Amino acid sequence: MTEDRMPAAPLRRREGAAPAQTVPLILETAASDDYALIDSGDALKLERYGPYLIVRPEAQALWPKAAPELWDKADAIFTGDTDEDGMGRWRFPKMLLGETWPMQLLDAEFLGRFTAFRHVGVFPEQMVHWAWMKARIEEARRPLKVLNLFGYTGVASLIAATAGAEVTHVDASRKAIGWARENQALGRAEHLPIRWICDDAMKFIQREARRGSRYDIILTDPPKFGRGPNGEVWQLFDHLPAMLDTCREILSPQAEGLVLTAYSIRASFYAIHELMRETMRGCGGRVESGELILRETGPDEVGSGRALSTSLFSRWVPA
């Protein structure tokens, strides 16, 4: 496959005052009926996803396990390559489990899945962004249009559409789009207004800008490296500035927010914070940036344990 390496476009210098700022902002996902971080340590994490206790690698868990006795209760353990995108396999200490199982978060039903890349179909730390988005949609006195870039398995798209938004979901992976459609069918949500689009995110938003399309909320969760359906190459540090700049172009005049999450990168949240402020110069509002964290619940699931940082984020919101 030939690489369609998109050149980094020269960025325009935005005029006007930079938005107000809130830094650092730490957003914490609380445990729910279908998810909890039980314990972590020794470069591993023990989580509850629905009925299952699952062990996966976690490089940022530098400390020892707080409750080693709980780990023997695990239903599934990922083994193999511990890189973020590394291949591996699952071991089931108690009994062989099926590939998928049903879950529910913020009124959206979806399938968890044991994948060869250690992921299970949802990033629970994103629930703080999803809850914020859900509130904006439900409180708006007009129908909102939401764009979910790098939308993965569609949990955020289902939450937005269930709350009343018209959603455009974009992901370059045909497998992820297929999984998202499965999730929609699981919740008998085929009637919801969601466009499922398999496309390169940059090319899609560039076309939307030329068409004059506008969105009220944009969620973007780009990988540090990825490929589009036709071999397009995505490099976060090369292409993120142009992506955010184009996202600004397709925000509606009454936009409710632009949210960026960044995983597995060697950078401070200040890097994406200042990029977001420069991108949104002249738009007013506020840029909030920091980290998303999960907090250990411990054996009694009261949420008093250590905090596990998962990702960086920056979010522009209107005044």
Side-chain angles (χ1 to χ4, degrees), residues 231-267:
E232 302 93 339
V233 173
W234 164 270
Q235 296 277 6
L236 184 74
F237 287 105
D238 290 344
H239 301 123
L240 181 60
M243 187 198 75
L244 281 184
D245 193 66
T246 307
C247 284
R248 169 177 168 159
E249 290 300 302
I250 60 176
L251 280 173
S252 73
Q254 298 83 34
E256 295 286 340
L258 169 59
V259 180
L260 166 67
T261 309
Y263 286 87
S264 303
I265 63 171
R266 295 182 178 179

Side-chain angles (χ1 to χ4, degrees), residues 3-6 200 225-228 231-235 239:
E3 290 190 353
D4 183 2
R5 184 178 293 273
M6 296 173 292
D200 176 77
F225 174 83
R227 290 185 183 274
E232 302 93 339
V233 173
W234 164 270
Q235 296 277 6
H239 301 123

Side-chain angles (χ1 to χ4, degrees), residues 60 77 151 200 242 251 287:
Q60 297 200 86
I77 301 171
D200 176 77
L251 280 173
V287 173

Side-chain angles (χ1 to χ4, degrees), residues 76-123:
I77 301 171
F78 184 86
T79 60
D81 196 323
T82 58
D83 288 341
E84 180 66 22
D85 297 315
M87 294 283 285
R89 64 185 184 87
W90 292 90
R91 181 167 61 85
F92 304 103
K94 297 179 181 178
M95 66 176 67
L96 185 64
L97 300 178
E99 181 188 2
T100 65
W101 69 96
M103 289 188 61
Q104 185 175 27
L105 292 174
L106 296 176
D107 301 325
E109 297 181 58
F110 60 97
L111 291 171
R113 177 175 270 122
F114 296 113
T115 73
F117 296 96
R118 83 177 180 176
H119 300 304
V120 295
V122 63
F123 295 94

Side-chain angles (χ1 to χ4, degrees), residues 145-149 151 154 157-158 161 165-171 177 180-181 184 189-199 204-205 207-208 211 213-215 250:
K145 295 182 66 176
V146 173
L147 173 61
N148 187 11
L149 288 176
S157 297
L158 290 168
E166 177 185 329
V167 181
T168 299
H169 172 110
V170 181
D171 198 283
I177 294 290
R181 288 183 176 276
Q184 185 180 27
E190 292 89 346
H191 64 284
L192 293 177
I194 304 175
R195 290 194 298 158
W196 303 107
I197 297 175
C198 184
D199 200 354
F204 177 81
I205 60 175
R207 287 198 305 272
E208 290 291 85
R211 294 167 181 153
S213 300
R214 296 292 182 266
Y215 296 90
I250 60 176

